[in-house]
Amino acid sequence: MATSPLFVPRLTVVGAGPGDPELLTLKGARVLAAADVVLYDALANDDLLAHARPGAHLLFVGKRRGAMAYTQLGINELIVQQAFRHGHVVRLKGGDPFIFGRGREEMLYAEAHGLATEYVPGISSAVAAAGSLGIPATHRGLSEGFRVLTATTADEQLSGALLEAAQSPRTTTIILMGMSRLAEIAALFSRYGGADVPAAVVQNGTLPTARAVAGTVATIAERARRAGLGAPAVIVLGEVVRLAKLPAQEAAADTGAALPGFLYELLSYAKVA
């Protein structure tokens, strides 16, 4: 443990953005350059580590292919240990750490153990992943708002908020961490009359490896399965999916076929809205 009077054990939680390394904020890059230790997740692009200063300790603490480097408690303890040993710890987390990222949870643990803390927001994949393929969270005439949900609760039950979403067709629903429950989610929405609601799955959004499929709630699970899509991916349910810019071979016939007429109607609406 350092003993200098200028030594301040501290934690900065930094949002790494949705994947594209150029989408890190300027403040995020500056903080990384000042870090003594960087604890980074699997969803944080490795290219971002180039912003760290030479000599900084770089520690991977994420999950890859089901393998867990540390438990959450282990990460919390490591933050405190490294801060008291080295000084400034940067916790680099994918997307925005305050959107299903447990960022504030880690800060609270650090604060309880005497660390100063700071938060640097990141661009959330909840909006940016689908947006990179032309799917906005909101669009005049199509969506009255949007909600971002996790598919499951802490005890692995399907989120109760999905039931509310299934009954609100005019609100875009964006689901994170839901690929393993996609068929169940689609069945729930279909049960409440949403089988024909446009739906999309976007994997690795904002990256060159991005892939996506679109269809309806009734077809999206099978389309995603056939395409071999998996995590990390964002599920989008709502009329805004009609605006997607997907490669021709991946565009869904049931949403794409009616697109020209749909756009004409939307432009007509925009003139008077």
Side-chain angles (χ1 to χ4, degrees), residues 71-103:
T71 64
Q72 185 60 52
L73 177 58
I75 292 171
N76 293 347
E77 293 173 342
L78 188 63
I79 288 170
V80 173
Q81 175 196 85
Q82 293 295 312
F84 278 106
R85 180 176 298 170
H86 298 291
H88 185 194
V89 173
V90 165
R91 182 74 169 92
L92 188 62
K93 301 173 74 72
D96 183 279
F98 278 16
I99 301 178
F100 299 117
R102 305 183 78 165

Side-chain angles (χ1 to χ4, degrees), residues 27-269:
K27 186 171 184 178
R30 178 175 60 77
V31 170
L32 274 171
D36 298 305
V37 181
V38 179
L39 307 182
Y40 63 100
D41 279 349
L43 292 179
N45 194 313
D46 288 351
D47 290 350
L48 298 179
L49 300 178
H51 292 286
R53 66 172 178 79
H57 301 273
L58 309 178
L59 303 175
F60 175 72
V61 295
K63 298 177 183 177
R64 281 182 179 149
R65 296 179 182 176
M68 184 183 299
Y70 288 86
T71 64
Q72 185 60 52
L73 177 58
I75 292 171
N76 293 347
E77 293 173 342
L78 188 63
I79 288 170
V80 173
Q81 175 196 85
Q82 293 295 312
F84 278 106
R85 180 176 298 170
H86 298 291
H88 185 194
V89 173
V90 165
R91 182 74 169 92
L92 188 62
K93 301 173 74 72
D96 183 279
F98 278 16
I99 301 178
F100 299 117
R102 305 183 78 165
R104 185 58 180 144
E105 181 179 330
E106 293 176 2
M107 290 173 68
L108 288 170
Y109 186 94
E111 291 163 7
H113 288 78
L115 272 62
T117 66
E118 185 179 358
Y119 159 64
V120 179
I123 296 173
S124 174
S125 61
V127 173
S132 68
L133 294 178
I135 304 174
T138 63
H139 191 89
R140 187 167 56 168
L142 293 182
S143 174
E144 297 172 355
F146 71 98
R147 53 165 64 84
V148 179
L149 307 177
T150 179
T152 58
T153 61
D155 59 357
E156 298 301 319
Q157 299 299 309
L158 207 61
S159 172
L162 289 169
L163 178 60
E164 298 177 22
Q167 300 174 74
S168 306
R170 295 291 296 176
T171 301
T172 305
T173 299
I174 299 168
I175 303 169
L176 305 181
M177 299 173 286
M179 288 302 290
S180 65
R181 310 295 288 271
L182 181 55
E184 294 174 69
I185 293 167
L188 176 63
F189 274 71
S190 295
R191 193 180 311 143
Y192 286 89
D196 294 329
V197 170
V201 171
V202 181
Q203 176 183 292
N204 294 331
T206 77
L207 290 170
T209 55
R211 297 187 62 208
V213 294
T216 65
V217 165
T219 64
I220 193 63
E222 178 59 19
R223 288 181 185 276
R225 186 194 67 79
R226 288 205 310 262
L229 298 189
V234 173
I235 301 164
V236 184
L237 309 176
E239 293 296 322
V240 293
V241 171
R242 294 178 182 269
L243 302 174
K245 298 191 301 182
L246 303 183
Q249 67 272 22
E250 293 185 343
D254 50 355
T255 55
L259 196 54
F262 161 75
L263 289 176
Y264 177 80
E265 293 175 9
L266 187 59
L267 288 172
S268 298
Y269 171 87

